[in-house]
Amino acid sequence: MEGIVKGRRIDWSSIVLYVFLTGFGLVMLLPLVYMATTAMKPISELFLFPPRFFVRNPTWMNFRDLLLITGTSFVPFSRYIFNSIVISGSIVIGGVLISAMAAYPLAKHQMPFRQFIFNMIVLALMFSPIVLQIPQYLLISRSGLMNTYFALVLPYLAAPVGMFLMTQFLRQIPDALLEASRIDGASEWQVFWRVIMPMLKPAIATFALFSFIQAWNDPYPSQVYTTQEDMKALPLAIQTISGGAGVIARVGTLAAASFLMIVPTIVVFIITQRMVLQTMAHSGLKE
Amino acid sequence: MSANTEAAVPATSAMQASPVRQGRMVRLWADVKRNKVSYLFLAPFLLLFTFFTIIPIFMSVGLSFTYYNILEAPKFIGLSNYKLLFVDDDIFLKAIGITLKFAFITGPLGYAMAFLLAWLISQIPVKYRFFYTLCFYTPSITSAVAMSVVWLYLFAGDRKGLLNYYAMKLGLIDEPYLFLQNVDSIVPVIIIVSLWMSMGVGFLAFLAGLQNVPKDLYEAGAIDGIRYRWQELIYITVPAVKPQLLFGAVLQVVSSLTVFDVSIQLVGLPSPLYAGHTILTHLYDYAFIKFEMGYASAIAVVLFAMMIGLNRVIFKLLGRD
């Protein structure tokens, strides 16, 4: 599509567009900026009246407090970070592998029940897994997996969104490439690793981003599936520091913890965004 | 593909050799066996999907007809849970009202905002797009838990709260307004925060779809007499990105019916006078605080039915070509 700026004359509509987008964009960023500045405020500025938006004497004190001193009572804060990394990492890696393996035959093989399975996945897109939390909890607790990493990872591995995105993405890849490697004598497994996985890269990056954000931010698995403090993950730990809704305690430390929590998701998005947009172009649903 | 065509040759010869008609089931079974590699690839996903999605759906429905407190075995009580839910549970009826009010405001508004912003961004040169994408998308990848530190301060009820301070300085109000305690302002605050976080996966889908609309469509449109940008939007762009619109709508329905995190982080559970109580908070309350799993399952089934039902409506509206 042609850009809005045509020729050299001043184009008012494009100026309005840029002003609007920039203004609105900055408003959307404000809460995040506020969080970043709060994380760096020394105590003298945290409870200042009148309240101050930006920090004047930035300090890393809050981060030091968070990592060295707090650690809610008896578990060091680094343990929560470790747990979060293990859990999100396993969900991302396992989920990507499982979804990619499933997407390959659904997109490229002719077999009975193919359409049925795909329709089932689309149906699963239409509801949130949260409605299934109770039976999932019962299954996990009955199988003795409470307080293990398995409980925090297994229920989230088979994600319909990832499978759907990958299948749609694979469908637009020409079959000729697969044929060629099959004629060269590659087994289906080799075709999958040597041809499908490299071509799926954008879709893998996209799903990795989504599942990472989901896993990293969700406090409920560790709230529901764990009873031991040392198995809990970051989001729940942050809730504990804040003491719940309405309590304003340790604002600086809390802001530092929240800041640490948000940074990885933004970094992952910046790294993957090009591939994400490439993948989302094939995300369409048709009836 | 070739694996199947190769394999298809022996299958057809087997069919000719066999007595005139094989049962359909037998043929299907042969077909399944021939494709066993495909099913092996699917197996890990399908196993986990069955165990953590399909079985739980049936369990939820089953449990919703029982009284179950985890300690004792479930006891069948028929439709009592549903009767209690829809007839006697005032708080649930209130929660449905709040959820629907919320869904009918943030759903369409967030959806329209996501599409319009994506469309506006697609009008500017590619090299500048990333900055704007980042501005609008970043809020949706922050967690409600982490952002509560900002919202609680912004909407704090005393004169030190950011919003109250500036409103009083500008003379809009005389005394601090209790945003998070006042029954009238709880839902609007949750709506504002959710809208801020609503440019999610759907937004990216729109953005990508809009970037890939074939250029010749616009040229053809110009020849056919399309003059204004909005005509272009309605007659060419929207039909071209319809599949993405449908995908975005499905995700929007799910996310606007499951407002939960934001409510709990901002106003707590239970919220003052249950003013921020949604179906999902009610579910969580009964499932993991009161441990009445049967009753909570009935709530889950209602929510599940609402999601599927609303999505069916969306498919009817947007799915037609």
Coordinates of all heavy atoms in Angstrom, one line a residue, chain B residues 14-80:
Chain B
A14 N -5.2 -54.5 -2.9 CA -5.8 -55.3 -1.8 C -7.3 -55.3 -1.9 O -8.0 -56.3 -1.7 CB -5.3 -54.9 -0.5
M15 N -7.8 -54.1 -2.2 CA -9.2 -53.9 -2.3 C -9.8 -54.7 -3.5 O -10.9 -55.3 -3.3 CB -9.6 -52.4 -2.5 CG -10.2 -51.8 -1.3 SD -10.0 -50.1 -1.2 CE -10.8 -49.6 -2.7
Q16 N -9.1 -54.8 -4.6 CA -9.6 -55.5 -5.7 C -9.6 -57.0 -5.4 O -10.5 -57.7 -5.8 CB -8.7 -55.3 -6.9 CG -9.0 -53.9 -7.6 CD -7.9 -53.4 -8.5 OE1 -6.9 -54.1 -8.5 NE2 -8.1 -52.3 -9.1
A17 N -8.6 -57.4 -4.7 CA -8.5 -58.9 -4.4 C -9.5 -59.3 -3.4 O -10.0 -60.5 -3.4 CB -7.1 -59.1 -3.8
S18 N -10.0 -58.4 -2.5 CA -10.9 -58.8 -1.5 C -12.3 -59.0 -2.0 O -12.6 -58.6 -3.1 CB -10.9 -57.7 -0.4 OG -11.5 -56.6 -1.0
P19 N -13.1 -59.7 -1.3 CA -14.5 -60.0 -1.7 C -15.2 -58.6 -1.9 O -14.8 -57.6 -1.4 CB -15.1 -60.6 -0.4 CG -14.0 -61.2 0.3 CD -12.8 -60.5 0.0
V20 N -16.2 -58.6 -2.8 CA -16.8 -57.4 -3.4 C -16.8 -56.2 -2.5 O -16.2 -55.2 -2.9 CB -18.2 -57.7 -3.9 CG1 -18.7 -56.6 -4.8 CG2 -18.3 -59.1 -4.6
R21 N -17.3 -56.3 -1.3 CA -17.3 -55.1 -0.5 C -16.8 -55.4 0.9 O -17.2 -56.3 1.6 CB -18.8 -54.6 -0.3 CG -19.1 -53.7 -1.4 CD -20.4 -53.0 -1.2 NE -20.9 -52.4 -2.4 CZ -22.1 -51.8 -2.5 NH1 -22.9 -51.9 -1.5 NH2 -22.4 -51.2 -3.7
Q22 N -15.8 -54.6 1.2 CA -15.3 -54.7 2.6 C -16.1 -53.7 3.4 O -16.6 -52.7 2.9 CB -13.8 -54.2 2.6 CG -12.9 -55.3 2.3 CD -11.4 -54.8 2.4 OE1 -11.1 -53.8 2.0 NE2 -10.6 -55.6 3.0
G23 N -16.2 -54.0 4.7 CA -16.9 -53.1 5.6 C -16.2 -51.8 5.6 O -15.0 -51.7 5.5
R24 N -16.9 -50.7 5.8 CA -16.3 -49.4 5.9 C -15.3 -49.3 7.0 O -14.2 -48.7 6.9 CB -17.3 -48.3 6.0 CG -18.0 -48.0 4.7 CD -19.0 -46.9 4.8 NE -18.4 -45.6 5.3 CZ -19.1 -44.6 5.7 NH1 -20.4 -44.7 5.9 NH2 -18.5 -43.5 6.1
M25 N -15.7 -49.9 8.1 CA -14.8 -49.9 9.3 C -13.4 -50.5 9.0 O -12.4 -50.0 9.4 CB -15.4 -50.5 10.5 CG -16.6 -49.8 11.0 SD -16.3 -48.1 11.4 CE -15.3 -48.2 12.9
V26 N -13.5 -51.7 8.3 CA -12.3 -52.4 8.0 C -11.4 -51.5 7.1 O -10.2 -51.4 7.3 CB -12.6 -53.7 7.3 CG1 -11.3 -54.5 6.9 CG2 -13.5 -54.5 8.1
R27 N -12.0 -50.9 6.1 CA -11.2 -50.0 5.2 C -10.6 -48.8 6.0 O -9.4 -48.5 5.8 CB -12.1 -49.5 4.1 CG -12.2 -50.4 2.9 CD -12.1 -49.7 1.6 NE -13.0 -48.6 1.5 CZ -14.2 -48.7 1.0 NH1 -14.7 -49.9 0.6 NH2 -15.0 -47.7 0.9
L28 N -11.4 -48.3 6.9 CA -10.9 -47.2 7.7 C -9.7 -47.6 8.5 O -8.7 -46.9 8.6 CB -12.0 -46.6 8.6 CG -11.7 -45.4 9.3 CD1 -11.5 -44.2 8.4 CD2 -12.8 -45.1 10.4
W29 N -9.8 -48.8 9.1 CA -8.8 -49.3 9.9 C -7.5 -49.5 9.1 O -6.4 -49.1 9.6 CB -9.2 -50.6 10.6 CG -8.2 -51.2 11.5 CD1 -7.6 -52.4 11.4 CD2 -7.5 -50.6 12.6 NE1 -6.6 -52.6 12.3 CE2 -6.6 -51.5 13.1 CE3 -7.7 -49.3 13.3 CZ2 -5.8 -51.2 14.2 CZ3 -6.9 -49.0 14.4 CH2 -6.0 -50.0 14.9
A30 N -7.7 -50.0 7.9 CA -6.5 -50.2 7.1 C -5.9 -48.8 6.7 O -4.6 -48.7 6.8 CB -6.9 -50.9 5.8
D31 N -6.7 -47.9 6.5 CA -6.3 -46.5 6.2 C -5.5 -45.9 7.4 O -4.4 -45.4 7.2 CB -7.5 -45.6 6.0 CG -7.3 -44.7 4.8 OD1 -6.3 -44.9 4.1 OD2 -8.1 -43.8 4.6
V32 N -6.0 -46.1 8.6 CA -5.4 -45.6 9.8 C -4.0 -46.3 9.9 O -3.0 -45.7 10.2 CB -6.2 -45.9 11.0 CG1 -5.4 -45.7 12.3 CG2 -7.5 -45.0 11.0
K33 N -4.0 -47.6 9.7 CA -2.7 -48.4 9.9 C -1.7 -47.9 8.9 O -0.5 -47.8 9.2 CB -3.0 -49.9 9.7 CG -3.4 -50.6 11.0 CD -2.9 -52.0 11.1 CE -3.3 -52.9 10.0 NZ -3.8 -54.2 10.4
R34 N -2.1 -47.6 7.7 CA -1.2 -47.2 6.6 C -0.6 -45.9 7.0 O 0.5 -45.5 6.7 CB -2.0 -47.1 5.3 CG -1.1 -46.9 4.1 CD -1.8 -47.5 2.9 NE -3.2 -47.4 2.9 CZ -3.9 -46.3 2.6 NH1 -3.2 -45.2 2.3 NH2 -5.2 -46.3 2.6
N35 N -1.3 -45.1 7.8 CA -0.8 -43.7 8.2 C -0.2 -43.7 9.6 O -0.3 -42.7 10.2 CB -1.9 -42.7 8.0 CG -2.3 -42.4 6.6 OD1 -1.5 -41.9 5.9 ND2 -3.5 -42.8 6.2
K36 N 0.3 -44.8 10.0 CA 0.6 -44.9 11.4 C 1.8 -43.9 11.7 O 1.8 -43.3 12.8 CB 0.9 -46.3 11.9 CG 2.2 -46.9 11.5 CD 2.3 -48.2 12.3 CE 3.6 -49.0 11.9 NZ 3.5 -49.6 10.6
V37 N 2.6 -43.6 10.8 CA 3.7 -42.6 11.0 C 3.1 -41.2 11.4 O 3.5 -40.6 12.3 CB 4.6 -42.5 9.8 CG1 5.7 -41.4 10.1 CG2 5.3 -43.8 9.5
S38 N 2.1 -40.8 10.6 CA 1.4 -39.6 10.9 C 0.8 -39.5 12.3 O 1.0 -38.5 13.0 CB 0.3 -39.3 9.9 OG 0.7 -39.6 8.6
Y39 N 0.2 -40.6 12.7 CA -0.4 -40.7 14.0 C 0.7 -40.7 15.1 O 0.5 -40.1 16.2 CB -1.3 -41.9 14.2 CG -2.6 -41.7 13.4 CD1 -2.8 -42.5 12.2 CD2 -3.5 -40.8 13.7 CE1 -3.9 -42.3 11.4 CE2 -4.6 -40.6 12.9 CZ -4.8 -41.4 11.8 OH -5.9 -41.2 11.0
L40 N 1.9 -41.3 14.8 CA 2.9 -41.3 15.8 C 3.4 -39.8 16.0 O 3.7 -39.4 17.2 CB 4.1 -42.1 15.3 CG 4.0 -43.6 15.6 CD1 5.2 -44.3 15.0 CD2 3.9 -43.9 17.1
F41 N 3.5 -39.0 15.0 CA 3.8 -37.6 15.1 C 2.8 -36.9 16.0 O 3.1 -36.0 16.8 CB 3.9 -36.9 13.7 CG 5.3 -37.0 13.1 CD1 5.5 -38.0 12.1 CD2 6.3 -36.2 13.5 CE1 6.8 -38.0 11.5 CE2 7.5 -36.3 13.0 CZ 7.8 -37.2 12.0
L42 N 1.6 -37.3 15.8 CA 0.5 -36.6 16.5 C 0.4 -37.0 17.9 O -0.2 -36.3 18.8 CB -0.9 -36.8 15.8 CG -1.3 -35.9 14.7 CD1 -2.4 -36.5 13.9 CD2 -1.7 -34.6 15.3
A43 N 0.9 -38.2 18.2 CA 0.6 -38.9 19.5 C 0.9 -38.0 20.7 O 0.0 -37.9 21.6 CB 1.3 -40.2 19.6
P44 N 2.1 -37.4 20.9 CA 2.3 -36.7 22.1 C 1.3 -35.6 22.3 O 0.8 -35.4 23.4 CB 3.7 -36.1 21.9 CG 4.4 -36.8 20.8 CD 3.2 -37.4 19.9
F45 N 1.0 -34.8 21.3 CA 0.1 -33.8 21.4 C -1.3 -34.3 21.8 O -1.9 -33.8 22.7 CB 0.0 -32.9 20.1 CG -0.9 -31.7 20.2 CD1 -0.3 -30.5 20.6 CD2 -2.3 -31.8 20.1 CE1 -1.1 -29.4 20.7 CE2 -3.1 -30.7 20.2 CZ -2.5 -29.5 20.5
L46 N -1.7 -35.3 21.0 CA -3.1 -35.8 21.3 C -3.2 -36.4 22.7 O -4.3 -36.3 23.3 CB -3.5 -36.9 20.2 CG -3.9 -36.2 18.9 CD1 -4.4 -37.3 17.9 CD2 -4.9 -35.2 19.0
L47 N -2.2 -37.1 23.1 CA -2.2 -37.7 24.5 C -2.4 -36.6 25.5 O -3.3 -36.7 26.4 CB -0.9 -38.5 24.8 CG -0.9 -39.9 24.3 CD1 0.5 -40.5 24.6 CD2 -2.0 -40.7 24.9
L48 N -1.5 -35.6 25.5 CA -1.6 -34.5 26.5 C -2.9 -33.7 26.3 O -3.6 -33.4 27.3 CB -0.4 -33.5 26.3 CG 0.9 -34.0 26.8 CD1 2.0 -33.2 26.3 CD2 0.9 -34.0 28.3
F49 N -3.3 -33.5 25.0 CA -4.6 -32.8 24.8 C -5.8 -33.6 25.4 O -6.7 -33.0 26.0 CB -4.8 -32.6 23.3 CG -5.9 -31.7 22.9 CD1 -5.8 -30.4 23.1 CD2 -7.0 -32.2 22.4 CE1 -6.8 -29.5 22.7 CE2 -8.1 -31.4 22.0 CZ -8.0 -30.0 22.2
T50 N -5.8 -34.9 25.2 CA -6.8 -35.7 25.7 C -6.8 -35.7 27.3 O -7.9 -35.5 27.9 CB -6.6 -37.2 25.3 OG1 -6.5 -37.2 23.9 CG2 -7.8 -38.0 25.7
F51 N -5.6 -35.8 27.8 CA -5.5 -35.9 29.3 C -5.9 -34.6 30.0 O -6.5 -34.6 31.0 CB -4.1 -36.4 29.7 CG -4.0 -36.9 31.0 CD1 -4.6 -38.1 31.4 CD2 -3.4 -36.2 32.0 CE1 -4.6 -38.6 32.7 CE2 -3.3 -36.7 33.3 CZ -3.9 -37.9 33.6
F52 N -5.4 -33.5 29.4 CA -5.6 -32.2 30.1 C -6.7 -31.3 29.5 O -7.0 -30.2 30.0 CB -4.3 -31.4 30.1 CG -3.3 -32.1 31.0 CD1 -2.2 -32.8 30.5 CD2 -3.5 -32.0 32.4 CE1 -1.3 -33.4 31.4 CE2 -2.6 -32.6 33.3 CZ -1.5 -33.3 32.8
T53 N -7.3 -31.7 28.4 CA -8.4 -30.9 27.8 C -9.7 -31.7 27.7 O -10.7 -31.3 28.2 CB -8.0 -30.2 26.5 OG1 -6.8 -29.5 26.7 CG2 -9.0 -29.3 26.0
I54 N -9.6 -32.8 26.9 CA -10.8 -33.5 26.6 C -11.4 -34.2 27.9 O -12.6 -34.0 28.2 CB -10.6 -34.5 25.5 CG1 -10.2 -33.8 24.2 CG2 -11.9 -35.3 25.2 CD1 -9.9 -34.6 23.1
I55 N -10.6 -34.9 28.6 CA -11.1 -35.6 29.8 C -11.6 -34.5 30.8 O -12.7 -34.7 31.3 CB -10.0 -36.5 30.4 CG1 -9.7 -37.7 29.5 CG2 -10.5 -37.0 31.8 CD1 -8.6 -38.6 30.0
P56 N -10.9 -33.5 31.0 CA -11.4 -32.4 31.9 C -12.7 -31.8 31.5 O -13.6 -31.5 32.4 CB -10.3 -31.4 31.9 CG -9.1 -32.1 31.7 CD -9.4 -33.2 30.7
I57 N -13.0 -31.7 30.2 CA -14.3 -31.2 29.8 C -15.4 -32.1 30.3 O -16.4 -31.7 30.9 CB -14.4 -31.1 28.3 CG1 -13.5 -30.0 27.8 CG2 -15.8 -30.8 27.9 CD1 -13.4 -29.8 26.3
F58 N -15.2 -33.4 30.1 CA -16.3 -34.4 30.5 C -16.3 -34.5 32.0 O -17.4 -34.5 32.6 CB -16.0 -35.8 29.9 CG -16.3 -35.8 28.4 CD1 -15.2 -35.8 27.5 CD2 -17.6 -35.7 28.0 CE1 -15.5 -35.8 26.2 CE2 -17.9 -35.7 26.6 CZ -16.8 -35.8 25.7
M59 N -15.1 -34.4 32.7 CA -15.1 -34.4 34.1 C -15.9 -33.2 34.7 O -16.7 -33.3 35.7 CB -13.7 -34.4 34.7 CG -13.1 -35.7 34.8 SD -11.3 -35.5 35.3 CE -11.5 -35.2 37.1
S60 N -15.7 -32.0 34.1 CA -16.4 -30.8 34.6 C -17.9 -31.0 34.5 O -18.6 -30.7 35.4 CB -16.0 -29.6 33.7 OG -14.9 -29.0 34.1
V61 N -18.3 -31.5 33.3 CA -19.8 -31.7 33.1 C -20.3 -32.7 34.2 O -21.3 -32.5 34.8 CB -20.1 -32.1 31.7 CG1 -21.6 -32.5 31.6 CG2 -19.7 -31.1 30.7
G62 N -19.5 -33.8 34.3 CA -19.9 -34.8 35.3 C -20.0 -34.3 36.7 O -21.0 -34.5 37.4
L63 N -18.9 -33.6 37.1 CA -18.8 -33.1 38.5 C -19.9 -32.1 38.8 O -20.3 -31.9 39.9 CB -17.5 -32.5 38.8 CG -16.3 -33.4 39.1 CD1 -15.0 -32.7 39.2 CD2 -16.6 -34.2 40.4
S64 N -20.4 -31.4 37.7 CA -21.3 -30.3 38.0 C -22.7 -30.8 38.5 O -23.5 -30.1 38.9 CB -21.5 -29.5 36.7 OG -22.2 -30.2 35.7
F65 N -22.9 -32.2 38.3 CA -24.1 -32.8 38.8 C -23.9 -33.4 40.2 O -24.7 -34.2 40.7 CB -24.6 -33.8 37.9 CG -25.0 -33.3 36.5 CD1 -24.3 -33.6 35.4 CD2 -26.0 -32.4 36.4 CE1 -24.6 -33.1 34.2 CE2 -26.3 -31.8 35.1 CZ -25.6 -32.2 34.0
T66 N -22.8 -33.1 40.9 CA -22.5 -33.7 42.1 C -22.2 -32.7 43.2 O -22.0 -31.5 43.0 CB -21.3 -34.6 42.0 OG1 -20.1 -33.8 41.8 CG2 -21.4 -35.7 41.0
Y67 N -22.2 -33.2 44.4 CA -21.7 -32.4 45.6 C -20.3 -33.1 45.8 O -20.2 -34.3 46.1 CB -22.6 -32.5 46.8 CG -21.9 -31.9 48.0 CD1 -22.0 -30.5 48.2 CD2 -21.2 -32.7 48.9 CE1 -21.3 -29.9 49.2 CE2 -20.6 -32.1 50.0 CZ -20.7 -30.7 50.2 OH -20.0 -30.1 51.2
Y68 N -19.3 -32.3 45.8 CA -17.9 -32.8 45.9 C -17.0 -31.8 46.6 O -16.8 -30.7 46.2 CB -17.4 -33.1 44.5 CG -16.0 -33.8 44.5 CD1 -15.7 -34.8 45.5 CD2 -15.1 -33.5 43.6 CE1 -14.5 -35.4 45.5 CE2 -13.8 -34.2 43.6 CZ -13.5 -35.1 44.6 OH -12.3 -35.7 44.6
N69 N -16.6 -32.3 47.8 CA -15.7 -31.4 48.6 C -14.3 -31.9 48.7 O -13.6 -31.5 49.6 CB -16.3 -31.1 49.9 CG -16.5 -32.4 50.7 OD1 -16.0 -33.5 50.3 ND2 -17.1 -32.4 51.8
I70 N -13.9 -32.8 47.8 CA -12.6 -33.4 47.7 C -12.3 -34.5 48.8 O -11.8 -35.5 48.5 CB -11.4 -32.3 47.8 CG1 -11.5 -31.5 46.5 CG2 -10.1 -33.0 47.9 CD1 -10.2 -30.8 46.2
L71 N -12.8 -34.2 50.0 CA -12.5 -35.1 51.1 C -13.4 -36.4 50.9 O -12.9 -37.5 51.1 CB -12.8 -34.5 52.5 CG -11.9 -33.3 52.8 CD1 -12.3 -32.7 54.1 CD2 -10.4 -33.8 52.8
E72 N -14.7 -36.2 50.7 CA -15.6 -37.3 50.5 C -15.7 -37.6 49.0 O -15.5 -36.7 48.2 CB -17.0 -37.0 51.1 CG -16.9 -36.6 52.5 CD -18.2 -35.8 52.9 OE1 -19.3 -36.4 52.8 OE2 -18.1 -34.7 53.3
A73 N -16.2 -38.8 48.7 CA -16.5 -39.1 47.3 C -17.6 -38.2 46.7 O -18.5 -37.8 47.5 CB -16.8 -40.6 47.1
P74 N -17.6 -37.9 45.4 CA -18.6 -37.1 44.9 C -20.0 -37.7 45.0 O -20.1 -39.0 44.9 CB -18.3 -37.0 43.4 CG -16.9 -37.5 43.2 CD -16.6 -38.3 44.4
K75 N -21.0 -36.9 45.3 CA -22.3 -37.5 45.5 C -23.3 -36.9 44.5 O -23.3 -35.7 44.4 CB -22.8 -37.1 47.0 CG -23.9 -38.0 47.5 CD -24.2 -37.7 49.0 CE -24.9 -36.4 49.1 NZ -24.9 -35.8 50.5
F76 N -24.0 -37.7 43.8 CA -24.8 -37.2 42.7 C -26.0 -36.5 43.3 O -26.8 -37.0 44.1 CB -25.3 -38.4 41.8 CG -26.1 -38.0 40.7 CD1 -25.5 -37.5 39.5 CD2 -27.5 -38.1 40.7 CE1 -26.3 -37.0 38.5 CE2 -28.3 -37.7 39.6 CZ -27.7 -37.2 38.5
I77 N -26.2 -35.3 42.8 CA -27.4 -34.5 43.3 C -28.2 -33.9 42.2 O -28.9 -32.9 42.3 CB -26.9 -33.4 44.3 CG1 -25.8 -32.5 43.6 CG2 -26.4 -33.9 45.6 CD1 -25.6 -31.2 44.4
G78 N -28.0 -34.4 40.9 CA -28.8 -34.0 39.8 C -28.5 -32.5 39.5 O -27.4 -32.1 39.5
L79 N -29.6 -31.8 39.2 CA -29.5 -30.4 38.7 C -29.4 -29.4 39.9 O -29.4 -28.2 39.6 CB -30.6 -30.1 37.8 CG -30.6 -30.7 36.4 CD1 -31.9 -30.5 35.7 CD2 -29.4 -30.2 35.6
S80 N -29.3 -29.8 41.1 CA -29.3 -28.9 42.2 C -28.3 -27.8 42.1 O -28.6 -26.6 42.4 CB -29.0 -29.6 43.5 OG -29.9 -30.6 43.7

